[in-house]
């Protein structure tokens, strides 16, 4: 297997192409990267900035440079002994435009489309208006209003010979069965002759080739006669006249789609989406023909050696993640002699294992990002910060309360249709048995609601229709929560649903007479027996709990709860404030044993705050009382800038816990944290241009934060007056005239904690580079990363600057510590440790992980471990929770050596007689006769150290 030594994630789009990346390959190689790690390379919606809205799985994106550009990039990578990891999106496709031919085909032909079973469409909706149709919730207002306004019309595409319903940029193909009537409506002999070609057509697959031939004749006719020839036809369906508008409406009603206001999606959508995004339709990759179609290109690129490994996006969206991973591994192994490198994007709860029966190399690193982030936090700050948050905002001090409320809200408002579909699956099972036919749909939906709301992780993974012991750990918690919430009269229903969702292997009760035939008549023929019906219900349950967890926790509760925003990150539980050194070691030991090649990330394209924003905010956990006092002082200072909820200025506001002003206490608290976290180290309070640029970036974050919180405003129902008031508050407190007031205080506060934040950043950097796993860098984070949530974290990266600043290999990172604000010290640390991974590849990739004991006055302010492979050793040491040790004097993110006093590391006996030197500085600390290495020696020049044996080359 080609295991990466290190990866660097790049986001491709039309503004950053394969050729753009190729121009920086020399830099990536000099930095120490072994594999580029690319965002999806398949064709996405035109103009996509992320690539996760694939519209064509069979073509490399032309906007990125096409396959020719990809080959040029790979050729250059190969010339530098580098490889390529590709991100693939097997769960969903973009359907928000007019570029997805699979989706357009099912809109045209309905259930008889060749791609009808590629998408997860419920063709048998209980709503008669949706049977055999696809709901298209794309209209900006109600269907009747948009039709009356003339914004929906019949159009003709001359290049393809197709009639379509157009709405803005959207294209909805008309079924060719209707072409004959459309053409005859113009009452012209030539068009009527063309209409005859379409007479008698049906939607059956056998008729579709004839339809294509007839369309070709229509296209040729228009090309010969001119577009005006078809205008007569379109005029008979013009939306401006009541008679022709009614004809247009009746034509639309006959199609295999139903146009609807976008607000209907949450309640009525009859196809599975990615989360609650109606421009992304889920595909049924569990079907063999869909699996092959989705992966055809990537399999060819892998077989030809252009791609060395894969990152699987949103594995929890798939019906059967285990079977998918097994099938993928098998197919890849058949294509090349070497075993493939495969990692999955998986959010793990605390204590939740990545399943051993998934043949993958690990996760993409969210679990490590959470662990190393929690390690930066002082547990003593948890309670006072929570109390401050609650006192200032009136909201709960417990994240669990916000999470539970968010789950219930999002389920009801965003996933009602998905909940209905899962409940109907359970109801079909109930109706198929005499003993359960009296379990009503409302009761089943009520029980299912509580199970989903209380389910604590993303999903379960039953095998053969039964939950595993690992699944039951979490399902039992959901059961307990449901029992506590439901009336006792629902106990029997709850227990039966528990059994159907994999809790029991009992034989199904005798079916009532005629049950199977009725099930098939109702569209349930795909589940002809109890076992498959249960598995279908289990899949629908899992494909509901996973998006609910993402939307309720990451995209709602994390924007409502603000004890400390450094813990509100993708893959983290904000309720888990800190991690001890022992717990961090335990996580590394488990990873080394079970998934030694998992990715180690501290920044991603999805992060809410850059890695150095989080590292700086973590310092607040060490000064919780001071931060609480600072918050109160700033709130008082900036009270004159508050706005009424309608956005108008107000001179004063009562200091109660009411949210009746903009931005309100919770949003104000989060705003101050954000400003503290992302304030650039070199920004001066009197730099008007720099402060304005920062304010504009924060304003983007603020709007997203307010709408994601879904309290005063939301994406579904924006309160633009309130949002304007919040915007004015932000720009008001950062206005130039306040440079000697709030701006001065903000800048000074960041200056006080900046050194400790930088120290935290270097700590998490070296731990990522030296822990068991594959270190992953996100584009541009080699220097300080003070980015916010997208699109801020996807801004263009100045790679030329980074290349120019890349140190000479023999220059130790300690040389740049004095100028730490420019970020070169971080760049140098990354380069040096990656050089060590290249020089001794087995040591940090396969070496044994040995936690080391620290003793002395400040033992709790150090983390240390050793890596050993054969006779080679590396000892990794980092300062932690060092704000108190740094004090107010000095300008370096470095604890004065004397401050460490008697703090020392108990070194492994094998190292007691060996000479060690620091890979990051000129230091060569000695182990004393008692086997102790004193921190005053080991961390004299840098706050982190990587010690190796003397004699190892330095370049």
């Amino acid at each position: 297997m080609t295991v990466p030594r290190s990866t660097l994630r790049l986001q491709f789009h039309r503004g950053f192409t394969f050729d753009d990346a190729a121009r920086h390959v020399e830099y990536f190689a000099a930095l120490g990267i072994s594999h580029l790690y690319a965002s999806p390379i398949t064709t996405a919606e035109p103009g996509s900035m992320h690539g996760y809205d694939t519209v064509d799985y069979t073509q490399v994106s032309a906007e990125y440079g096409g396959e020719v550009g990809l080959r040029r990039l790979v050729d250059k990578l190969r010339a530098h002994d580098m490889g390529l990891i590709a991100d693939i999106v097997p769960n969903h496709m973009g359907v928000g435009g007019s570029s997805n031919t699979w989706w357009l085909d099912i809109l045209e032909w309905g259930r008889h489309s060749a791609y009808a079973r590629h998408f997860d469409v419920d063709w048998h909706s209980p709503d008669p208006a949706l049977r055999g149709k696809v709901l298209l919730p794309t209209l900006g207002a109600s269907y009747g209003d948009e039709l009356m306004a003339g914004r929906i019309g019949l159009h003709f595409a001359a290049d393809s010979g197709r009639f379509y319903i157009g709405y803005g940029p959207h294209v909805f193909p008309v079924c060719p069965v209707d072409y004959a009537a459309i053409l005859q409506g113009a009452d012209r002999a030539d068009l009527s002759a063309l209409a005859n070609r379409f007479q008698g057509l049906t939607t059956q697959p056998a008729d579709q080739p004839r339809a294509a031939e007839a369309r070709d004749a229509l296209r040729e006719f228009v090309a010969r006669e001119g577009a005006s020839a078809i205008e007569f036809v379109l005029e008979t369906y013009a939306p401006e006249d009541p008679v022709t508008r009614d004809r247009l409406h009746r034509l639309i009603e006959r199609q295999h789609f139903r146009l609807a206001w976008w607000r209907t999606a949450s309640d009525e959508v009859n196809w599975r989406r990615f989360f609650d995004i109606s421009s992304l339709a889920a595909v049924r990759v569990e079907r063999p023909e869909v699996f092959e179609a989705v992966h055809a290109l990537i399999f060819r690129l892998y077989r030809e050696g252009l791609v060395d490994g894969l990152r699987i996006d949103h594995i929890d969206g798939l019906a059967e993640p285990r079977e998918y991973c097994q099938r993928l591994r098998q197919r890849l192994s058949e294509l090349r002699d070497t075993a493939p490198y495969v990692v999955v994007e998986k959010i793990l709860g605390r204590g939740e294992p990545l399943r051993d029966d998934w043949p993958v190399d690990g996760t993409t690193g969210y679990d490590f990002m959470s662990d190393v982030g929690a390690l930066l936090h002082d547990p003593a700050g948890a309670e006072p910060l929570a109390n401050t948050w609650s006192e200032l905002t009136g909201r709960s001090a417990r994240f669990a309360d916000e999470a539970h409320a968010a789950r219930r809200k999002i389920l009801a408002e965003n996933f009602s249709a998905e909940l209905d579909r899962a409940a109907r699956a359970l109801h079909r099972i109930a109706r198929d048995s005499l003993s359960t036919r009296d379990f009503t749909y409302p009761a089943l939906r009520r029980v299912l609601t509580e199970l989903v709301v209380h389910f604590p992780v993303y999903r379960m993974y039953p095998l053969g229709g039964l939950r595993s012991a690992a699944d039951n750990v979490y399902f039992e918690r959901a059961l307990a929560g449901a029992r506590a919430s439901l009336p006792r009269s629902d106990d029997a229903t709850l227990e039966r649903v528990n059994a159907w969702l994999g809790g029991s292997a009992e034989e199904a009760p005798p079916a009532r007479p005629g049950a199977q035939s009725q099930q098939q008549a109702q569209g349930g023929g795909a589940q002809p027996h109890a076992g498959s019906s249960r598995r279908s219900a289990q899949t629908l349950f899992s494909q509901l709990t996973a998006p609910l967890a993402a939307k309720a926790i990451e995209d709602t509760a994390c924007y409502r709860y603000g004890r400390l925003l450094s813990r509100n990150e993708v893959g983290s539980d904000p309720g888990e404030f800190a991690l001890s050194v022992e717990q961090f070691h335990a996580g590394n030991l488990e990873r080394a044993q079970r998934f030694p090649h998992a990715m180690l990330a501290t920044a991603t394209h999805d992060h809410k705050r850059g890695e150095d924003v989080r590292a700086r905010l973590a310092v607040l956990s060490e000064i919780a009382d001071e931060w609480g006092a600072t918050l109160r002082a700033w709130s008082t200072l900036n009270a004159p800038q508050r706005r009424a909820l309608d956005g108008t200025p107000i001179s004063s506001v009562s200091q109660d816990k009411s949210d009746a002003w903009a931005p309100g206490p919770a949003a104000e608290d989060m705003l101050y944290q954000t400003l503290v976290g992302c304030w650039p180290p070199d920004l001066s309070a009197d730099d008007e241009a720099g402060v304005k640029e920062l304010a504009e970036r924060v304003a983007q974050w603020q709007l997203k934060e307010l709408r994601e919180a879904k309290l005063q405003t939301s994406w579904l129902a924006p309160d633009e007056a309130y949002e304007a008031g919040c915007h004015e508050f932000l720009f008001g407190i950062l206005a130039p005239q306040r440079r000697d007031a709030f701006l001065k205080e903000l800048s000074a506060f960041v200056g006080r904690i900046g050194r400790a934040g930088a120290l935290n950043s270097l700590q998490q950097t070296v731990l990522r580079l030296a822990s068991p796993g594959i270190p992953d860098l996100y584009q541009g984070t080699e220097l300080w990363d003070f980015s916010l949530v997208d699109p801020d974290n996807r801004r263009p990266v100045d790679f030329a600057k980074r290349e120019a600043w890349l140190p000479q290999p023999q220059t130790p990172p300690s040389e740049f510590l004095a100028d730490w604000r420019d970020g070169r010290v971080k760049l140098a640390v990354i380069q040096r440790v990656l050089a060590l991974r290249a020089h001794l590849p087995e040591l940090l990739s396969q070496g044994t992980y040995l936690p080391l004991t620290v003793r002395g006055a400040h033992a709790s302010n150090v983390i240390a471990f050793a890596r050993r492979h054969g006779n080679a050793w590396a000892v990794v040491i980092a300062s932690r929770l060092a704000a108190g040790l740094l004090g107010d004097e000095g300008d370096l993110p470095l604890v004065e050596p004397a401050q460490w006093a008697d703090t020392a590391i108990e070194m492994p006996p094998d190292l007691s007689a060996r000479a060690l030197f620091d890979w990051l500085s000129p230091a060569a600390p000695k182990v004393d006769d008692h086997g102790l290495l004193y921190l005053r020696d080991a961390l004299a020049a840098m706050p982190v150290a990587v010690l190796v044996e003397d004699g190892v080359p330095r370049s």
Side-chain angles (χ1 to χ4, degrees):
M1 178 171 65
T2 302
V3 178
R5 187 175 66 249
S6 56
T7 60
L8 187 142
R9 168 77 179 206
L10 293 177
Q11 292 293 119
F12 288 105
H13 48 82
R14 62 187 177 188
F16 186 82
T17 67
F18 298 136
D19 285 336
D20 292 322
R23 281 191 283 273
H24 302 296
V25 166
E26 288 88 353
Y27 162 67
F28 301 144
L31 183 60
I33 300 301
S34 73
H35 288 70
L36 289 187
Y37 163 29
S39 62
I41 60 175
T42 47
T43 300
E45 289 281 9
S48 173
M49 295 299 288
H50 49 77
Y52 288 96
D53 45 1
T54 301
V55 295
D56 187 350
Y57 283 114
T58 68
Q59 298 291 325
V60 176
S61 171
E63 289 189 347
Y64 308 167
E67 189 167 329
V68 173
L70 177 65
R71 290 180 180 275
R72 284 196 296 268
L73 171 60
V74 173
D75 285 345
K76 196 157 188 181
L77 291 172
R78 296 291 184 245
H80 289 80
D81 296 321
M82 297 172 67
L84 182 68
I85 307 295
D87 195 342
I88 62 173
V89 192
N91 176 67
H92 55 269
M93 299 185 79
V95 296
S98 58
S99 303
N100 190 325
T101 57
W102 292 5
W103 185 251
L104 294 177
D105 198 75
I106 72 166
L107 300 185
E108 187 172 40
W109 295 106
R111 283 176 289 180
H112 294 133
S113 164
Y115 305 101
R117 301 182 77 182
H118 281 47
F119 296 95
D120 207 346
V121 179
D122 181 4
W123 295 105
H124 307 285
S125 171
D127 181 354
L130 282 175
R131 286 182 192 150
K133 294 178 181 286
V134 176
L135 183 75
L136 296 179
T138 56
L139 305 181
S142 70
Y143 169 77
D145 289 346
E146 296 294 75
L147 189 66
M148 289 281 289
R151 286 189 279 270
I152 302 173
L154 178 66
H155 301 271
F156 181 75
D159 59 340
S160 63
R162 276 185 164 86
F163 287 105
Y164 67 91
I165 303 300
Y167 176 74
H170 301 283
V171 170
F172 311 119
V174 171
C175 182
V177 171
D178 286 304
Y179 280 29
I182 292 173
L183 293 168
Q184 288 169 343
D187 196 24
R188 282 182 41 159
D190 51 359
L191 293 176
S192 295
L194 283 169
N196 290 335
R197 291 176 171 266
F198 293 95
Q199 290 286 2
L201 277 178
T202 71
T203 59
Q204 294 296 324
D207 273 0
Q208 293 179 25
R210 184 162 72 91
E213 293 173 2
R215 266 200 307 256
D216 286 342
L218 177 58
R219 177 177 52 79
E220 292 168 2
F221 169 81
V222 174
R224 183 174 62 253
E225 300 295 329
S228 60
I230 210 72
E231 289 299 324
F232 295 103
V233 173
L234 302 181
E235 287 173 3
T236 63
Y237 291 85
E240 292 79 14
D241 180 83
V243 174
T244 55
R245 182 170 61 242
D246 182 65
R247 186 179 295 127
L248 172 63
H249 164 65
R250 285 185 278 114
L251 172 66
I252 294 172
E253 289 292 280
R254 292 196 299 271
Q255 302 313 304
H256 301 292
F257 52 82
R258 179 173 179 265
L259 297 182
W261 192 9
W262 64 268
R263 291 183 182 276
T264 66
S266 297
D267 293 326
E268 294 191 339
V269 70
N270 63 336
W271 43 275
R272 187 165 62 88
R273 303 170 290 174
F274 172 70
F275 294 175
D276 60 347
I277 303 173
S278 298
S279 60
L280 297 174
V283 293
R284 300 186 65 188
V285 76
E286 68 272 15
R287 298 185 61 81
E289 70 275 18
V290 181
F291 177 89
E292 291 299 327
V294 165
H295 296 86
L297 171 66
I298 209 70
F299 283 163
R300 177 172 63 80
L301 297 178
Y302 182 76
R303 184 184 68 244
E304 294 177 9
L306 274 75
V307 170
D308 300 292
L310 299 177
R311 180 251 197 205
I312 312 304
D313 180 65
H314 190 48
I315 191 74
D316 278 337
L318 308 185
E320 297 286 351
R322 175 192 303 103
E323 293 180 6
Y324 171 83
C325 293
Q326 291 169 348
R327 181 182 295 174
L328 181 69
R329 174 73 66 172
Q330 180 180 348
R331 288 287 283 112
L332 292 171
S333 298
E334 292 169 355
L335 296 173
R336 273 167 56 179
D337 294 336
T338 57
Y341 178 74
V342 178
V343 290
V344 294
E345 184 200 36
K346 167 62 184 161
I347 304 297
L348 294 167
R350 175 60 59 197
E352 180 188 9
L354 182 63
R355 304 304 166 100
D356 288 316
D357 53 0
W358 295 10
V360 299
D361 294 289
T363 72
T364 54
Y366 290 117
D367 46 340
F368 179 83
M369 186 162 76
S370 178
D371 285 359
V372 76
L375 184 68
L376 303 180
H377 290 71
D378 186 347
E383 185 175 354
L385 287 172
N387 291 338
T388 296
W389 166 255
S390 184
E391 290 168 7
L392 290 179
T393 67
R395 304 194 68 82
S396 175
R398 298 176 65 249
F399 177 73
D401 294 334
E402 293 286 14
H404 182 78
R407 283 178 182 272
R408 195 171 293 283
K409 177 182 178 67
I410 296 301
L411 182 62
E413 297 181 9
N414 296 65
F415 292 112
S416 180
E418 289 81 358
L419 177 63
D420 283 342
R421 189 176 180 186
R424 287 199 305 272
L426 292 171
H427 195 223
R428 283 195 294 270
I429 299 173
R431 285 293 176 89
D432 283 346
S433 170
L434 293 174
S435 64
T436 59
R437 71 177 190 175
D438 290 336
F439 286 128
T440 66
Y441 173 80
L444 290 165
R445 191 182 192 277
R446 189 165 59 244
V447 162
L448 186 63
T449 295
E450 296 306 318
L451 284 173
V452 171
V453 164
H454 288 92
F455 202 76
V457 292
Y458 262 52
R459 60 170 289 175
M460 62 181 189
Y461 308 94
L463 180 60
L466 288 176
R467 298 194 302 265
S468 66
D471 289 327
N472 280 327
V473 169
Y474 303 104
F475 202 92
E476 288 295 333
R477 289 169 58 185
L479 277 173
R483 287 193 190 98
S485 301
L486 290 166
R488 291 185 63 185
S489 57
D490 282 333
D491 283 356
T493 308
L494 178 61
E495 290 309 313
R496 180 57 62 181
V497 170
N498 173 27
W500 290 336
L501 293 180
S504 172
E506 65 184 14
E507 292 295 322
R512 59 184 175 81
Q516 182 170 323
S517 61
Q518 182 173 341
Q519 179 190 26
Q520 292 171 339
Q522 293 173 343
Q527 294 87 34
H529 55 81
S532 58
S533 294
R534 289 188 184 190
R535 284 193 289 274
S536 176
Q538 291 165 10
T539 296
L540 290 170
F541 177 77
S542 296
Q543 290 179 329
L544 175 56
T545 59
L548 177 64
K551 293 302 295 182
I553 304 304
E554 296 168 19
D555 292 346
T556 304
C558 281
Y559 287 99
R560 292 182 174 186
Y561 182 75
R563 171 171 61 178
L564 196 55
L565 296 183
S566 45
R567 293 301 295 143
N568 293 22
E569 192 51 80
V570 178
S572 299
D573 175 6
E576 178 189 72
F577 189 75
L579 209 64
S580 69
V581 169
E582 291 73 22
Q583 289 171 311
F584 181 80
H585 285 320
N588 269 351
L589 285 166
E590 181 181 5
R591 193 176 299 106
Q593 180 181 3
R594 298 183 65 238
F595 293 101
H597 305 313
M599 281 186 171
L600 308 177
T602 50
T604 75
H605 61 287
D606 281 331
H607 69 234
K608 297 184 184 301
R609 290 160 195 87
E611 59 186 31
D612 300 314
V613 174
R614 299 193 307 271
R616 184 189 288 167
L617 286 177
V619 178
L620 302 182
S621 69
E622 302 180 61
I623 55 170
D625 291 337
E626 179 186 348
W627 175 242
T630 300
L631 276 177
R632 290 176 173 87
W634 287 354
S635 186
T636 300
L637 177 64
N638 291 324
Q641 304 307 315
R642 295 171 181 171
R643 301 294 191 271
L645 291 182
D646 63 2
T648 58
I650 51 178
S651 58
S652 64
V653 176
S654 61
Q655 296 297 307
D656 60 18
K657 297 176 182 178
S658 170
D659 287 356
W661 49 275
E668 184 185 26
D669 185 327
M670 290 185 177
L671 175 60
Y672 294 143
Q673 290 190 55
T674 300
L675 289 170
V676 167
C678 72
W679 185 273
D682 56 353
L683 179 61
S684 169
D686 58 5
D687 180 354
E688 289 189 25
V691 172
K692 182 181 179 182
E693 179 185 358
L694 176 66
E696 290 170 346
R697 289 177 49 218
V698 174
Q700 280 189 314
W701 162 84
Q702 183 187 57
L703 180 61
K704 184 164 187 172
E705 185 273 328
L706 296 170
R707 290 186 175 180
E708 294 286 15
K710 306 170 186 70
L711 294 171
Q712 184 67 34
T713 186
S714 69
W715 298 108
L716 295 179
D719 184 336
E720 295 182 357
Y722 168 74
E723 292 171 358
C726 294
H727 185 274
E728 290 301 315
F729 178 83
L730 167 62
F731 279 82
I733 67 175
L734 297 182
Q737 58 266 36
R738 268 164 282 286
R739 65 164 59 94
D740 294 325
F742 174 65
L743 277 173
K744 181 179 180 180
E745 291 203 10
L746 172 62
S747 177
F749 185 85
V750 172
R752 288 201 303 276
I753 69 169
R755 291 188 298 143
L759 186 147
N760 279 348
S761 294
L762 295 176
Q763 174 194 343
Q764 74 176 356
T765 296
V766 81
L767 293 181
R768 168 168 48 101
L769 297 171
S771 291
I774 309 301
D776 173 51
L777 281 73
Y778 179 65
Q779 58 180 28
T781 60
E782 308 94 283
L783 297 179
W784 298 135
D785 172 30
F786 293 103
S787 64
L788 300 171
V789 72
D790 66 281
D792 196 60
N793 63 6
R794 301 177 189 178
R795 286 174 294 155
V797 178
D798 187 350
F799 284 117
K801 174 181 178 179
R802 286 156 175 78
E803 185 169 8
W805 280 10
L806 197 65
Q808 293 298 314
Q810 67 273 15
T811 305
S814 57
E815 291 291 315
F816 303 99
L817 192 64
D819 297 316
W820 61 270
R821 288 177 179 82
D822 62 19
R824 284 184 294 173
V825 63
K826 181 183 178 185
L827 175 66
V829 167
I830 291 171
Q831 181 194 35
R832 290 288 284 170
V833 182
L834 291 183
L836 177 61
R837 293 185 74 100
H839 181 66
L840 297 172
E842 295 85 5
L843 178 59
L844 294 181
S845 65
Q846 303 174 29
T848 303
Y849 183 88
L850 301 169
L852 298 180
T853 300
V854 185
R855 68 188 196 186
H858 301 297
S860 62
N861 300 107
V862 183
I863 179 171
F865 59 85
R867 303 297 305 276
R868 179 182 184 177
H869 186 268
N871 199 39
W873 287 82
V875 176
V876 180
I877 308 167
S879 314
R880 63 182 296 267
L881 304 182
L885 293 177
L886 288 174
D888 295 328
E889 301 298 326
D891 187 55
L892 297 181
L894 177 69
V895 176
E896 286 292 327
Q899 286 277 53
W900 290 112
D902 64 343
T903 310
I905 300 169
E906 297 179 7
M907 296 290 279
D910 285 3
L911 293 179
S912 60
R914 301 190 187 191
L916 300 174
F917 74 86
D918 185 10
W919 196 260
L920 307 181
S921 77
K926 306 296 183 183
V927 179
D928 74 4
D929 294 341
H930 302 289
L932 298 178
L933 178 68
Y934 285 91
L935 271 298
R936 58 178 180 258
D937 299 325
L939 298 182
M942 283 284 284
V944 291
V946 179
L947 307 180
V948 293
E949 285 191 76
D950 203 356
V952 177
R954 304 291 296 272
S955 62

